[in-house]
Amino acid sequence: MIEFGKAALCGAAVARGVYEGARRRRGPGAARWRRSNHAGRTVDLYAGPAAAAGTALALACTPALPPKARAAGALAVLAAGACGAYDDFAGAGDPRRGFRAHLGALRRGEVTSGAVKLFGVGAAAVVAGAAVKERPFDKALAAVVIAGSAHLVNLLDVRPGRAAGAVLALSAPGLARRGAAAVAAAPMGAAAALIADDLAERTMLGDTGAHALGAGLGLAVVAGNGRAGLVLHAAALVATALAMDARNHLCE
């Protein structure tokens, strides 16, 4: 529990500090960080990089993982956040959603921001999975879980507080698993520090924060499960992604 507390506190303190510092930032580029949410209210995107920074630093400092896995996990979170940030800015206004739309554009020779995000998050998940697990099949499963979790949390980020709340709820079971509690605490701490402002519609996680928190959540699942658990989680995540992609395709 001591390791859990330290990781949660680190994630929360860093996330809150980055968020407050960004909110006080003024300059000609500040307008780029504003968006209209589902209700038409103007919110900022500062929660995204704050969530990524808090989760990554908490993971980098937790003794629950070997040094190599710590570094790979933190880098995976930052990479997922960076890919999400690219989509937040380069893909702003692009109505296309889901794997099918972006892969279809890629087949036509167009590299969308969504495709960059898809392959970037996938590559980061492969590196992190390889660092946390030892056997090739487990490494592959771990990559699917980390990338799939990042995608799942992003899918849930459609209303204020929903993605952050999902991270808090889905990370909770990891607190009871040996070796996973401190890892789960990293995204939990960051999400807890930001959820009030998210719910109050002052900010939003965007793809940046949703993917970063999701990657941290996936790493906690990987740290707390053996092969059987990874198979179940990977199958559920793939099924959910395919179902949501089919739904997006029908709604177009």
Side-chain angles (χ1 to χ4, degrees):
M1 288 303 293
I2 294 177
E3 289 182 4
F4 162 76
K6 288 181 178 178
L9 183 60
C10 178
V14 172
R16 195 69 208 176
V18 171
Y19 176 66
E20 292 295 343
R23 285 183 64 198
R24 292 180 174 83
R25 174 178 170 269
R26 296 290 185 270
R32 296 184 64 223
W33 290 84
R34 299 191 185 98
R35 293 289 187 277
S36 292
N37 69 3
H38 74 288
R41 296 186 178 90
T42 299
V43 298
D44 64 55
L45 292 173
Y46 298 139
T55 304
L57 190 58
L59 284 173
C61 296
T62 179
L65 293 172
K68 180 181 177 182
R70 264 184 260 164
L75 287 174
V77 167
L78 292 176
C83 291
Y86 180 74
D87 198 29
D88 278 335
F89 291 97
D94 188 345
R96 289 172 292 192
R97 295 290 182 269
F99 300 134
R100 193 175 316 193
H102 293 295
L103 293 177
L106 192 61
R107 284 194 296 270
R108 296 190 297 272
E110 179 187 0
V111 181
T112 65
S113 60
V116 171
K117 182 177 66 175
L118 174 63
F119 289 107
V121 172
V126 168
V127 173
V132 177
K133 294 298 183 181
E134 296 181 358
R135 297 181 179 179
F137 186 58
D138 294 337
K139 293 175 187 287
L141 288 172
V144 172
V145 169
I146 294 169
S149 297
H151 181 63
L152 174 64
V153 174
N154 187 53
L155 288 175
L156 296 173
D157 190 32
V158 294
R159 290 291 186 275
R162 188 170 294 182
V167 169
L168 291 173
L170 295 174
S171 297
L175 303 182
R177 292 182 176 271
R178 177 183 290 272
V183 184
M188 289 184 78
L194 300 167
I195 192 169
D197 290 87
D198 194 355
L199 285 168
E201 299 185 64
R202 289 187 287 268
T203 190
M204 65 166 59
L205 290 170
D207 283 15
T208 307
H211 279 88
L213 288 173
L217 169 64
L219 195 68
V221 173
V222 169
N225 282 274
R227 180 172 294 180
L230 290 179
V231 168
L232 290 174
H233 280 91
L237 287 165
V238 170
T240 301
L242 291 175
M244 293 301 295
D245 191 60
R247 179 185 174 187
N248 288 332
H249 181 68
L250 289 173
C251 292
E252 289 177 354

